[in-house]
Amino acid sequence: MDLEHGVVRIRQQLLRAGGRLQLGPVKTNAGRRDLPLLGVARSVLLQHAELKVLGATSHEWTAHDLVFTTRTGHPVEPRNLARSFHRITASHDLRRIPLHSLRRTTATLLKDLGVPPRDTMEILGHARIAVTMEIYTGADDASRRAALSKLSALFGTTPD
């Protein structure tokens, strides 16, 4: 991660092998990518980096260049990350969703914002656009109505 330039470099993933959590390469070449960080994410990560430096002495901290870590820099157990996510959503009275659904939400929001599917595919790190479009991008009544309204305008009519 390059917080100075606002870029996250995705090169590794956390996986369970032989009953242990291990860092390994991402599954596909498409998963290996550099993405610009949203300003709000960059700000929070900069604050988090400062807290890590202040909160741990050099012999306590293990650097793995991960976004989510334990207090000592080790990878977070995925179930613990999900539990933390659910605690946060509950404390803000948000509907409970699986953590992985945030990827689907992101894909659908990008679609609704008019982001080209190819860009969404690369942001999510999919190797095939079909995965992005068929599995991750949701359709809804509002987007269908907007699409048909555009078609109607093309024909010079108004939708019913």
Side-chain angles (χ1 to χ4, degrees):
M1 185 164 5
D2 181 353
L3 292 178
E4 184 179 330
H5 294 100
V7 175
V8 62
R9 300 183 197 294
I10 301 166
R11 300 289 186 271
Q12 60 188 358
Q13 66 178 342
L14 190 61
L15 48 98
R16 189 173 302 283
R20 295 182 37 226
L21 286 178
Q22 297 179 6
L23 292 174
V26 293
K27 289 187 278 190
T28 65
N29 287 337
R32 183 182 169 94
R33 60 205 187 277
D34 295 349
L35 295 173
L37 283 168
L38 298 175
V40 65
R42 182 175 176 268
S43 295
V44 169
L45 289 170
L46 281 168
Q47 289 174 350
H48 182 65
E50 288 174 21
L51 290 174
K52 285 192 295 191
V53 170
L54 295 174
T57 62
S58 59
H59 71 278
E60 292 176 320
W61 187 259
T62 304
H64 289 290
D65 200 23
L66 298 170
V67 175
F68 300 105
T69 65
T70 65
R71 289 186 179 108
T72 58
H74 293 283
V76 174
E77 173 67 43
R79 279 174 270 174
N80 291 341
L81 180 63
R83 284 185 196 112
S84 293
F85 172 71
H86 292 306
R87 264 194 312 275
I88 292 166
T89 57
S91 71
H92 293 283
D93 293 324
L94 298 172
R95 181 172 56 96
R96 184 182 174 107
I97 62 171
L99 181 59
H100 189 75
S101 291
L102 292 177
R103 287 177 55 81
R104 289 183 176 90
T105 300
T106 299
T108 300
L109 288 171
L110 291 170
K111 176 197 62 100
D112 291 349
L113 291 169
V115 173
R118 179 81 183 176
D119 291 334
T120 300
M121 178 189 90
E122 291 184 12
I123 289 168
L124 294 176
H126 293 149
R128 295 183 0 208
I129 202 161
V131 171
T132 306
M133 299 308 294
E134 293 172 9
I135 298 173
Y136 282 84
T137 306
D140 56 38
D141 190 54
S143 64
R144 286 188 293 273
R145 285 183 184 279
L148 292 173
S149 290
K150 289 178 184 178
L151 187 59
S152 185
L154 180 68
F155 294 131
T157 61
T158 57
D160 292 334

